[in-house]
């Protein structure tokens, strides 16, 4: 009973932090004509409530797609419609067609914040609690500490409750999917993940690890017996779930194609704003957008993304296990973020979710990554006047991780999961014993750089000729960190089976 009292207290603390952050400013508050993401979410409620489904994704006099047109899959639209029915019941002015544009009031802000909190409470938070309760080989105290750290992760809190979005819905559904397939509830897990993809198309970042893990399970059971039956069931689940979500848009071919065009707007370009991926960073020195034709940019980004994630996916298919699945989720999502086409800075949350899932296994590196992921969104957070909430939530998260997992004591080769890799290297370089020290020094350099850049961005004005100097530095420094993490997680994945054998010998 004490365990559940403590877990309830952790959940209440997480909810309190979320609600406190929501009391601050939000994206585009009082900034016409476009306002911000808060207005986008409200506008989608207006559109889905007042227009027939066939008009939701089409440009018209009642639905100007240049003004926050719907660009997420049908499940997001259905969620907006559900919220709109509640809004209509409370105050019809909130979603009145045309006249509600840019609507701002304290009552409406309370309503919108409540919708995010309820979604979090119904989908994301229960999945986090269940994940932590299902963790093996750690004490009850560590399970509760793990839940606390995940629920205090500042990146998701600041974007959903400060900037204002519903990322916890898609991430929560994806987490239910991870739990399902990891516990051999493969059909339920597949259903949950399909719902996640149909809520936000960026969940495709996680699609290859899901596919490879389940395909590996089918191979393991034998494709001429139980494996084939499982494959057919999984295929049926995927087809049925997508069909149900898209059914209203399958009535006409033009409908389905228009939704797809809205979901994948390749005309927008290689990247937007100052995102911490390879394309934005390289563009500081080499203007890729000007040098390469548009279609070549798409091909190059596709090839680099595929090449960077292929080894981990092949390994997962041949040797499927829940642990390998979690680490491959990290690697693949990070590959998509660094190399794929049309990436937003908020997409780093798709990498942060699986990193949270390995927090108890590699606490030092996971904490470091989650700090960098929040820092990488600094320009966006400052634009929304979220400096103070960012500092406070980041410090709270860091203190929680440092005290719960004693992260500075978890830097040996074994605890960094680098023992087998180091042993392999020492066969050729016997004096290769300094890897943990290098990683500790890199951590210190990384943290000092992030602190200094934050202070510079907040206190100094950039040169007139370089107005984006600090934003570019933030994205470039973050990108370098992410490239290091991509190499690190791939090393863990490729040397995983050797580590497993070493652990068995130790036990």
């Amino acid at each position: 009973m004490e365990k559940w009292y403590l877990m309830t207290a952790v959940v209440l603390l997480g909810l309190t932090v979320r609600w406190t952050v929501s009391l601050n400013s939000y994206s585009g508050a009082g900034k016409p004509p476009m306002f911000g993401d808060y207005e986008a979410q409200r506008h989608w409620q207006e559109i889905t409530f007042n227009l027939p489904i066939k008009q939701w994704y089409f440009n018209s006099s009642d639905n100007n797609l240049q003004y926050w047109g719907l660009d997420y899959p049908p499940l997001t639209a259905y969620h907006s419609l559900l919220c709109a029915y509640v809004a209509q019941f409370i105050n019809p002015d909130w979603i009145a067609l045309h006249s509600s544009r840019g609507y701002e009031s304290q009552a409406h802000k309370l309503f919108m914040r409540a919708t995010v909190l309820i979604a979090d409470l119904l989908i994301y938070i229960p999945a986090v609690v269940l994940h932590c309760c299902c963790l093996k080989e750690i004490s009850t105290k560590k399970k509760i500490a793990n839940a606390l750290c995940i629920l205090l992760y500042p990146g998701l809190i600041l974007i959903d409750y400060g900037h204002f979005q519903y990322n916890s819905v898609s991430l929560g559904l994806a987490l239910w999917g991870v739990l399902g397939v990891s516990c051999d509830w493969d059909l339920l897990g597949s259903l949950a993940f399909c719902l996640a993809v149909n809520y936000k198309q960026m969940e495709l970042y996680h699609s290859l690890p899901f596919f490879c893990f389940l395909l590996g399970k089918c191979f393991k059971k034998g494709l001429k017996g139980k494996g084939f039956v499982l494959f057919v069931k999984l295929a049926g689940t995927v087809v049925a779930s997508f069909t149900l979500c898209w059914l209203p848009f399958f009535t006409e071919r033009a409908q389905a194609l228009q939704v797809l065009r809205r979901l994948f707007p390749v005309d927008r370009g290689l990247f937007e704003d100052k995102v911490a991926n390879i394309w934005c960073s390289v563009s500081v020195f080499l203007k890729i957008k000007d040098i390469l034709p548009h279609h070549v940019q798409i091909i190059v980004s596709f090839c680099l993304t595929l090449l960077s994630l292929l080894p981990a996916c092949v390994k997962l298919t041949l040797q499927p296990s829940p642990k390998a699945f979690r680490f491959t989720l990290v690697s693949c999502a990070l590959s998509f973020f660094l190399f794929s086409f049309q990436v937003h800075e908020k997409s780093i949350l798709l990498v942060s979710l699986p990193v949270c899932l390995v927090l108890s296994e590699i606490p030092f590196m996971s904490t470091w990554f989650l700090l960098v992921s929040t820092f990488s969104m600094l320009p966006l957070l400052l634009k929304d006047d979220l400096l103070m909430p960012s500092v406070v939530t980041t410090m709270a998260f860091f203190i929680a991780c440092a005290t719960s997992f004693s992260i500075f004591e978890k830097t040996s080769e074994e605890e960094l999961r680098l023992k087998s890799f180091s042993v392999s290297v020492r066969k050729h370089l016997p004096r290769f014993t300094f890897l943990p020290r290098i990683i500790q020094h890199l951590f210190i350099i990384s943290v000092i750089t992030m602190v200094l850049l934050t202070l510079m961005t907040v206190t100094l004005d950039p040169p007139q000729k370089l107005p984006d100097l600090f934003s570019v530095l933030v994205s470039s420094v973050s990108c370098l960190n992410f490239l290091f993490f991509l190499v690190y997680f791939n090393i863990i994945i490729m040397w995983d089976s050797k580590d497993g054998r070493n652990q068995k010998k130790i036990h």
Side-chain angles (χ1 to χ4, degrees), residues 353-403:
L353 174 70
V355 172
C356 286
L357 302 186
V358 298
L359 182 60
S360 62
E361 297 174 64
I362 44 170
F364 178 79
M365 298 299 289
S366 298
T367 302
W368 181 5
F369 178 91
L370 295 170
L371 290 173
V372 176
S373 70
T374 304
F375 169 75
S376 71
M377 298 184 285
L378 181 65
L380 176 67
L381 298 172
L382 292 179
K383 191 186 297 184
D384 294 335
D385 298 323
L386 292 169
L387 174 62
M388 189 55 67
S390 299
V391 172
V392 173
T393 53
T394 301
M395 289 300 297
F397 169 76
F398 178 67
I399 292 169
C401 290
T403 55

Side-chain angles (χ1 to χ4, degrees), residues 267-492:
D267 293 336
R268 287 185 184 177
L270 191 56
F271 60 89
E272 288 188 7
D273 296 325
K274 300 298 180 287
V275 61
N277 75 349
I278 196 72
W279 305 121
C280 183
S281 300
V282 170
S283 291
V284 175
F285 311 101
L286 194 66
K287 303 299 180 185
I288 298 174
K289 288 184 176 181
D290 300 330
I291 297 172
L292 297 178
H294 186 72
H295 70 281
V296 176
Q297 294 174 29
I298 296 175
I299 293 170
V300 170
S301 65
F302 172 79
C303 291
L304 279 178
T305 305
L306 184 64
L307 287 172
S308 65
L309 57 79
L310 200 57
C313 287
V314 171
K315 177 92 182 289
L316 180 63
T317 306
L318 298 176
Q319 299 176 9
S321 70
K323 178 185 173 183
F325 175 49
R326 291 193 297 273
F327 281 103
T328 307
L329 280 169
V330 177
S331 173
C332 286
L334 192 49
S335 292
F336 270 101
F337 180 81
L338 285 170
F339 301 110
S340 66
F341 195 86
Q342 248 297 305
V343 174
H344 294 263
E345 59 267 65
K346 298 182 287 289
S347 298
I348 195 61
L349 297 178
L350 293 155
V351 191
S352 300
L353 174 70
V355 172
C356 286
L357 302 186
V358 298
L359 182 60
S360 62
E361 297 174 64
I362 44 170
F364 178 79
M365 298 299 289
S366 298
T367 302
W368 181 5
F369 178 91
L370 295 170
L371 290 173
V372 176
S373 70
T374 304
F375 169 75
S376 71
M377 298 184 285
L378 181 65
L380 176 67
L381 298 172
L382 292 179
K383 191 186 297 184
D384 294 335
D385 298 323
L386 292 169
L387 174 62
M388 189 55 67
S390 299
V391 172
V392 173
T393 53
T394 301
M395 289 300 297
F397 169 76
F398 178 67
I399 292 169
C401 290
T403 55
S404 299
F405 294 103
S406 304
I407 60 173
F408 298 112
E409 299 172 11
K410 308 277 187 177
T411 55
S412 66
E413 287 181 348
E414 292 86 350
E415 286 161 327
L416 292 173
R417 298 292 192 270
L418 295 173
K419 181 68 174 178
S420 291
F421 172 73
S422 299
V423 169
S424 299
V425 175
R426 278 197 287 270
K427 291 178 182 178
H428 308 283
L429 298 171
R431 295 185 179 180
F432 186 77
T433 59
F434 45 79
L435 189 56
R437 289 198 300 277
I438 291 176
I439 289 177
Q440 290 171 24
H441 291 148
L442 288 175
F443 170 77
I444 294 169
I445 293 170
S446 175
V447 170
I448 291 173
T449 305
M450 289 190 289
V451 171
L452 288 177
L453 269 178
T454 301
L455 291 173
M456 290 168 63
T457 304
V458 172
T459 58
L460 300 178
D461 294 323
Q464 289 185 349
K465 293 183 179 180
L466 300 169
D468 297 326
L469 175 63
F470 296 135
S471 297
V472 169
L473 286 173
V474 168
S475 64
S476 299
V477 168
S478 301
C479 180
L480 286 173
N481 278 271
F482 292 145
L483 285 169
F484 164 73
F485 283 114
L486 181 64
V487 173
Y488 169 76
F489 280 109
N490 273 284
I491 287 173
I492 289 183

Side-chain angles (χ1 to χ4, degrees), residues 116-156:
V116 180
L117 194 70
I118 291 169
D120 221 351
L121 194 55
L122 291 177
I123 300 174
Y124 181 72
I125 292 177
V128 170
V129 171
L130 183 59
H131 160 72
C132 295
C133 290
C134 290
L135 290 173
K136 297 176 181 178
E137 298 178 7
I138 65 171
S139 65
T140 299
K141 182 180 177 181
K142 289 294 183 184
K143 291 179 181 180
I144 294 168
N146 201 60
L148 174 65
C149 294
I150 295 175
L151 292 178
L152 288 182
Y153 168 56
L156 181 59

Side-chain angles (χ1 to χ4, degrees), residues 217-235:
K217 281 189 173 186
C218 294
F219 286 148
K220 212 170 183 179
K221 291 176 181 288
L223 281 180
K224 292 184 179 179
K226 292 182 179 179
F228 180 74
V229 174
L230 176 60
F231 183 82
V232 171
K233 287 181 178 178
L234 290 169

